[in-house]
Amino acid sequence: MRILESNADAIMAQREAETRQAMREAERAALLAQLPPAMSRPLEGKLDMRQFGAAGLVRAVDLARELAGEVCTALPSDARSVVHDPATSAGIVAARGVNDALLRLADELARRNKDMQAYIDAHTPPGALGGTLAVALTVVPGVLRAAADTSSLFKTDVTASGIAYGDGARALFASALAERCPERIAGLGGGYLGELDAAQHERLLGKLRSLASHRADYANRIAILDKLADAAKGEEKRDMGAVASAAGAVLKAIDAFIDSLRAGETGDRSPLTNAARYLGYAQRTAGAPVLDFDLRLEGMSIVEDKLFTGQQLRLSAIALLWFRVHAPDGTLRLARTVRKMAPPVEVDLRGKAVEGSFWNGR
């Protein structure tokens, strides 16, 4: 009997203990529902590029401007430098190619005209056509039409790649250089290269007219040779036909080149206009040292969430820069590598936590 009573008391005590434990856990749960535990840790800081990703670029811009000042100090003081841009350099090379081709083809046609005239004189019967030209073809059809429009504005798209900051990183740094030391910068390469250089354009047009005149003389001599071939017989007829055929192939190549220049069109559709513009830029920057650089520019936005104080924003940036200064002939004058990281700036989203100069970028 005593054993049964003892077991009943033990069971009752166990149930009371379980009831008290359940009540304590319920009270604790109710308290936790209202306040966090005293030992709870704040949430870890996290990189949130969706909310404040662009804010870090502000620090990146400041860092780029700071680096521009260092590069300006390193630039040669005895001459103004030009920023190297691959697209602009390719444009200058192409423009010089157009100019050289106009001169070379004109000289080649002048030589061929002399040889052709000597051949015609040698195969002209006494009392026939002689060495005179039958028709004066002075203008190549479609080449110089709408000449008045060639002085209109010229526009082109020049692109340069950037890293992390975006496609504008290189242009941003070039502008920062021009801002910090405009007296040491002769040209920024990409972007706006100036209005159409009228003097350069007129010189190219003059060379094109010279080529067109030689081309017209050549076409006339081919026509004369065809007539002589029609009147000739036997082996002489075949020889003159072969010469006329070879000359016709040369004439087609010249016509294709002239047509490709699109001298009668305006804007960036005309290679002749493009050539004039790039030649003008090359003339303005002739002899200047060349600044070549590459830049990796990143802005960092760090958002820290705290349970009681809310969000706090910290901004930083990092820049990796290398630059080289070359003489116009390619000789290396200076080479440096720079890496910098901007000290983090804390921005209290509930109010101003940084100086006013940060907000206006000064």
Side-chain angles (χ1 to χ4, degrees):
M1 189 67 179
R2 290 179 180 177
I3 294 176
L4 293 175
E5 290 178 355
S6 177
N7 290 339
D9 292 341
I11 293 173
M12 184 64 69
Q14 183 179 356
R15 289 178 177 176
E16 289 178 356
E18 291 176 351
T19 301
R20 287 193 298 270
Q21 179 65 24
M23 292 179 64
R24 284 195 298 269
E25 290 181 357
E27 292 174 354
R28 182 172 180 271
L31 180 61
L32 290 177
Q34 301 178 32
L35 292 175
M39 297 301 294
S40 68
R41 295 187 303 173
L43 298 178
E44 296 181 358
K46 60 182 180 180
L47 187 66
D48 190 345
M49 297 304 289
R50 293 173 300 175
Q51 288 180 298
F52 300 100
L57 297 182
V58 176
R59 293 293 285 160
V61 171
D62 293 342
L63 190 56
R65 295 170 68 181
E66 181 182 344
L67 286 173
E70 296 186 15
V71 175
C72 283
T73 303
L75 288 177
S77 58
D78 56 343
R80 301 176 69 190
S81 300
V82 58
V83 176
H84 169 65
D85 178 72
T88 304
S89 297
I92 292 175
V93 172
R96 288 172 175 166
V98 170
N99 182 72
D100 294 343
L102 286 171
L103 292 174
R104 176 174 53 81
L105 291 177
D107 290 342
E108 177 68 14
L109 274 187
R111 183 186 64 80
R112 286 178 176 272
N113 273 318
K114 291 181 180 179
D115 293 343
M116 180 75 76
Q117 187 62 53
Y119 184 86
I120 291 174
D121 291 343
H123 292 80
T124 300
L129 292 174
T132 61
L133 299 181
V135 182
L137 301 177
T138 58
V139 178
V140 179
V143 173
L144 300 179
R145 62 185 182 275
D149 293 336
T150 56
S151 60
S152 63
L153 296 180
F154 165 79
K155 296 181 180 180
T156 187
D157 293 327
V158 180
T159 59
S161 60
I163 305 176
Y165 178 88
D167 291 338
R170 187 175 179 86
L172 165 68
F173 191 71
S175 296
L177 286 172
E179 178 186 12
R180 295 300 296 270
C181 53
E183 72 284 353
R184 293 192 177 185
I185 302 297
L188 299 181
Y192 180 69
L193 299 181
E195 302 291 345
L196 176 64
D197 192 312
Q200 289 286 353
H201 190 249
E202 183 57 35
R203 280 193 285 269
L204 287 177
L205 279 178
K207 295 171 184 177
L208 179 59
R209 295 188 189 102
S210 176
L211 176 60
S213 177
H214 289 301
R215 183 265 178 208
D217 291 345
Y218 200 58
N220 288 337
R221 287 182 168 87
I222 293 175
I224 294 173
L225 190 58
D226 285 336
K227 291 183 178 181
L228 290 175
D230 290 341
K233 296 180 180 179
E235 189 69 24
E236 186 180 29
K237 183 180 182 69
R238 286 191 294 272
D239 289 344
M240 297 177 71
V243 172
S245 178
V250 172
L251 193 65
K252 289 181 179 179
I254 297 297
D255 288 344
F257 172 73
I258 292 177
D259 290 340
S260 70
L261 296 181
R262 300 181 182 179
E265 298 184 14
T266 60
D268 56 0
R269 293 185 177 182
S270 170
L272 190 75
T273 306
N274 287 355
R277 200 150 183 266
Y278 279 109
L279 287 175
Y281 178 79
Q283 185 178 28
R284 294 193 301 271
T285 58
V290 179
L291 170 64
D292 189 15
F293 72 88
D294 199 0
L295 175 66
R296 181 186 178 102
L297 189 62
E298 294 187 8
M300 292 183 290
S301 303
I302 304 173
V303 180
E304 186 176 290
D305 288 325
K306 296 183 178 180
L307 291 174
F308 293 103
T309 59
Q311 286 185 327
Q312 288 185 332
L313 177 64
R314 287 182 302 191
L315 307 177
S316 182
I318 187 170
L320 306 175
L321 170 71
W322 63 256
F323 66 95
R324 298 176 293 200
V325 179
H326 299 268
D329 62 359
T331 305
L332 181 65
R333 297 183 58 176
L334 173 68
R336 289 186 185 176
T337 58
V338 184
R339 69 115 178 133
K340 278 204 171 185
M341 188 168 184
V345 173
E346 186 172 292
V347 180
D348 191 342
L349 298 180
R350 299 174 302 174
K352 186 172 69 172
V354 293
E355 298 179 358
S357 60
F358 170 77
W359 301 103
N360 55 33
R362 295 180 181 174

